[in-house]
């Protein structure tokens, strides 16, 4: 049986937590409060938690037979832009999450992961010694809690399709548009008017010449 390589976690990483105090005693529980800086790309292209911004974590760590059950909430400030008018916006994030981190020896029995698998099951998280990395679980929770279509206000009117003006600032903003079905007729009308003007000019010139004679 081939041993799976172990990723060594750095206990100094603010998103790495130590479960040593639980002592692998089922029923043992510990609460943790921690403020951590947001890693890069914590969101999407429209709205996200800015890199380095503070994320306030409240965790409950519970020892169970299979591992450590982590239940928590995350609060942070979001920054992004309105999907209708592209104005900068700010929102408050409140995300809930829960994940079971398996003991290494219990992962195969309870997590459905075999050492013969070619790839690690992404849905199964393992403790590394007494440590666990919260970042992937927190990242998923933050992404799921993000607004799908963030707007600066519910009745935002967006931008003018002609000139890009913000319509909420000027609800009466408009452009006079010509129905393309009438454009050709208007062209003919203008040509007829020009031709009529030329004919009138010729007629007037002819009349003047006759008067002179």
């Amino acid at each position: 049986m081939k041993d799976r390589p172990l990723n060594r976690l750095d206990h100094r990483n603010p998103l790495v937590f130590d479960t040593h105090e639980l002592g692998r005693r089922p029923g043992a529980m510990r609460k943790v409060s921690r403020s951590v800086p947001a890693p890069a790309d914590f969101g999407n292209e429209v709205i996200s938690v800015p890199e380095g911004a503070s994320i306030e974590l409240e965790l409950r760590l519970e020892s169970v037979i299979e591992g450590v059950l982590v239940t928590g909430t995350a609060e942070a400030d979001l920054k992004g832009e309105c999907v209708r008018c592209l104005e900068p916006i700010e929102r408050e994030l409140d995300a809930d999450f829960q994940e079971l981190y398996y003991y290494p020896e219990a992962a195969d029995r309870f997590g459905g992961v075999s050492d013969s698998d070619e790839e690690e099951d992404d849905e199964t998280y393992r403790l590394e010694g007494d440590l666990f990395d919260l970042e992937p679980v927190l990242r998923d929770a933050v992404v799921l809690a993000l607004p799908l279509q963030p707007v600066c206000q519910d009745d935002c009117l967006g931008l003018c399709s002609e000139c890009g003006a913000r319509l909420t600032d000027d609800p009466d903003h408009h452009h006079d548009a010509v129905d393309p079905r009438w454009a050709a007729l208007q062209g003919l009308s203008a040509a007829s008017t020009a031709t009529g003007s030329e004919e009138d000019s010729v007629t007037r010139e002819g009349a003047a010449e006759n008067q002179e004679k």
Side-chain angles (χ1 to χ4, degrees), residues 40-109:
D41 303 321
F42 238 53
N44 55 43
E45 64 278 3
V46 178
I47 192 166
S48 63
V49 182
E51 183 176 1
S54 178
I55 301 178
E56 302 300 325
L57 297 175
E58 294 290 339
L59 306 181
R60 185 175 73 243
L61 313 182
E62 298 176 85
S63 179
V64 295
I65 295 175
E66 304 95 332
V68 175
L69 181 65
V70 179
T71 305
T73 61
E75 295 181 358
D77 293 328
L78 297 170
K79 291 188 177 182
E81 62 181 25
C82 175
V83 296
R84 297 179 188 170
C85 69
L86 307 183
E87 283 290 299
I89 58 176
E90 295 185 3
R91 293 286 185 274
E92 291 184 356
L93 171 79
D94 189 356
D96 299 323
F97 52 89
Q98 185 176 73
E99 190 61 57
L100 176 61
Y101 288 82
Y102 288 93
Y103 297 131
E105 67 276 9
D108 294 340
R109 286 183 293 153

Side-chain angles (χ1 to χ4, degrees), residues 20-179:
H20 177 74
E21 291 184 11
L22 297 178
R24 294 200 177 191
R25 299 183 303 274
M29 190 269 289
R30 174 182 173 225
K31 291 185 177 181
V32 180
S33 298
R34 185 178 295 183
S35 179
V36 301
D41 303 321
F42 238 53
N44 55 43
E45 64 278 3
V46 178
I47 192 166
S48 63
V49 182
E51 183 176 1
S54 178
I55 301 178
E56 302 300 325
L57 297 175
E58 294 290 339
L59 306 181
R60 185 175 73 243
L61 313 182
E62 298 176 85
S63 179
V64 295
I65 295 175
E66 304 95 332
V68 175
L69 181 65
V70 179
T71 305
T73 61
E75 295 181 358
D77 293 328
L78 297 170
K79 291 188 177 182
E81 62 181 25
C82 175
V83 296
R84 297 179 188 170
C85 69
L86 307 183
E87 283 290 299
I89 58 176
E90 295 185 3
R91 293 286 185 274
E92 291 184 356
L93 171 79
D94 189 356
D96 299 323
F97 52 89
Q98 185 176 73
E99 190 61 57
L100 176 61
Y101 288 82
Y102 288 93
Y103 297 131
E105 67 276 9
D108 294 340
R109 286 183 293 153
F110 297 104
V113 179
S114 170
D115 284 332
S116 61
D117 289 347
E118 293 182 1
E119 295 182 1
E120 183 78 21
D121 185 353
D122 290 338
E123 299 302 317
T124 301
Y125 294 94
R126 299 181 181 221
L127 289 166
E128 297 187 10
D130 293 319
L131 303 178
F132 69 87
D133 183 3
L134 186 66
E135 180 173 343
V137 172
L138 180 60
R139 184 180 295 276
D140 288 346
V142 167
V143 170
L144 288 174
L146 293 176
L148 295 178
Q149 298 287 323
V151 292
C152 58
Q153 57 190 63
D154 292 339
D155 58 351
C156 176
L157 299 176
L159 301 176
C160 173
S161 59
E162 295 289 330
C163 66
R166 188 169 183 262
L167 298 179
T168 303
D169 296 334
D170 184 10
D172 297 325
H173 177 88
H174 71 281
H175 295 270
D176 293 329
V178 177
D179 191 321

